[in-house]
Amino acid sequence: VCLMGGFTSHILTFGTASEIEAEVRRCLEGAAAGGGYILSPSGRIDPETPEENLIAFTRAGRGESWTLPEPA
């Protein structure tokens, strides 16, 4: 089984870099343990989403600003 989504699209469009990072953490900590999770917005990516928010999302998803805890 593989889960996909869960990231709040509104945060991607209107959030700050720190809010985006916190939402990425929430998603990954809640669903990524052991693999089988694809980080993506719950809906579409709004055309009004600032490029810097997409970059923050990508960096946070790659773990460039933090690391996931080891699976139990």
Side-chain angles (χ1 to χ4, degrees):
V1 173
C2 182
L3 302 174
M4 179 177 165
F7 188 93
T8 306
S9 298
H10 182 82
I11 292 174
L12 185 58
T13 303
F14 300 106
T16 64
S18 62
E19 290 169 333
I20 291 167
E21 181 180 323
E23 182 69 358
V24 166
R25 278 183 178 228
R26 183 192 69 77
C27 290
L28 294 178
E29 289 173 351
Y37 176 69
I38 300 170
L39 177 66
S40 73
S42 294
R44 68 184 180 90
I45 296 176
D46 192 297
E48 301 299 317
T49 302
E51 182 178 356
E52 58 267 21
N53 287 13
L54 296 171
I55 292 168
F57 175 79
T58 301
R59 287 185 174 155
R62 289 180 177 166
E64 293 179 13
S65 56
W66 62 285
T67 57
L68 275 173
E70 292 296 318

